Amino acid sequence: MPPGHPPETVPSSQPQSRGCATAGVVVLALLLLSAAGGAAWYVLTREDPETGVYDAAPGCEVGTTEALDARVPDHELTLEEPVGGAADPFGQGRQCRWATPSGDGDAVPATATLVMVAAPNPGGVVTARESFAETTGSHNTSPVDDLGEQAVAWLDESGFTTACVAVLESNLYLETCYSAAAGYDGREPADDERLTSGAEEIARATVAALPEEIVVEED
């Protein structure tokens, strides 16, 4: 760290957090996938018989679990916005972010992000697999057992250390990211094991809270 520069902390300015940036990377990867020959891929997967159980992604409320309560004390929802749209071949969904409110240090600062994207049916299962491979392929991942149909975890140490877990569940791509400080002052990140276990715990609780299916009736 250069002399005279303050130590990096869990930021109080929510949109600039590593968790939010990580969620943005997921969305960017999906958008790039859409631009790189997405139309032809969309035609192929729409003809595939592997139809998923989600016509739409759940809302952010599915992420408000006891695991989130435990890992992000006194959390507030600081971001809730759509991802993708009906014209995007990778599908559409939501990204959400919760953070410990800034203040007098009553709780150790922490943040969690959640990205959920439902690939369009028919052929949504194949599309979701491609999204999973595309968005996790650039990371040094390790498998997470007994979570969804496929799950991996990784650490992002490019800023304030963040742990992420990506899960494939039918035609739904789901990703949780978690960052926390080592102490009340928020100056140093928690150790890698704590961050990874936090991301996995939040991911497991969120997957357990998913509805068995989401069916959208056509007009």
Side-chain angles (χ1 to χ4, degrees):
M1 182 181 303
H5 283 63
E8 189 173 17
T9 65
V10 174
S12 59
S13 177
Q14 310 297 358
Q16 299 302 316
S17 77
R18 285 300 310 159
C20 190
T22 303
V25 169
V26 175
V27 177
L28 178 60
L30 292 171
L31 290 174
L32 290 174
L33 184 62
S34 174
W41 173 39
Y42 179 73
V43 171
L44 288 173
T45 55
R46 291 287 283 190
E47 295 174 353
D48 189 284
E50 292 190 80
T51 295
V53 298
Y54 296 100
D55 287 346
C60 291
E61 64 274 4
V62 76
T64 55
T65 63
E66 291 184 0
L68 181 70
D69 294 342
R71 293 292 183 166
V72 186
D74 304 324
H75 57 77
E76 296 178 349
L77 182 65
T78 60
L79 176 70
E80 181 178 8
E81 63 183 20
V83 175
D88 291 303
F90 63 80
Q92 56 187 322
R94 309 291 297 174
Q95 62 175 327
C96 324
R97 181 176 183 273
W98 297 270
T100 301
S102 58
D104 299 328
D106 295 330
V108 174
T111 65
T113 61
L114 172 63
V115 176
M116 300 172 289
V117 178
N121 286 313
V125 172
V126 172
T127 303
R129 288 173 185 161
E130 295 289 344
S131 293
F132 183 93
E134 184 73 18
T135 53
T136 63
S138 61
H139 302 291
N140 182 20
T141 62
S142 57
V144 180
D145 296 330
D146 303 322
L147 180 56
E149 297 173 12
Q150 186 178 357
V152 296
W154 69 92
L155 283 172
D156 181 352
E157 298 178 298
S158 58
F160 201 90
T161 306
T162 300
C164 295
V165 175
V167 183
L168 181 62
E169 186 71 38
S170 186
N171 63 316
L172 185 72
Y173 175 86
L174 183 151
E175 182 176 310
T176 62
C177 291
Y178 175 66
S179 62
Y184 289 96
D185 59 7
R187 292 177 178 272
E188 298 291 339
D191 63 82
D192 295 352
E193 183 177 352
R194 177 185 164 193
L195 296 178
T196 300
S197 65
E200 289 187 14
E201 184 178 327
I202 292 170
R204 289 185 186 281
T206 303
V207 169
L210 289 174
E212 291 186 359
E213 63 176 4
I214 296 178
V215 178
V216 177
E217 299 293 339
E218 295 184 2
D219 296 330

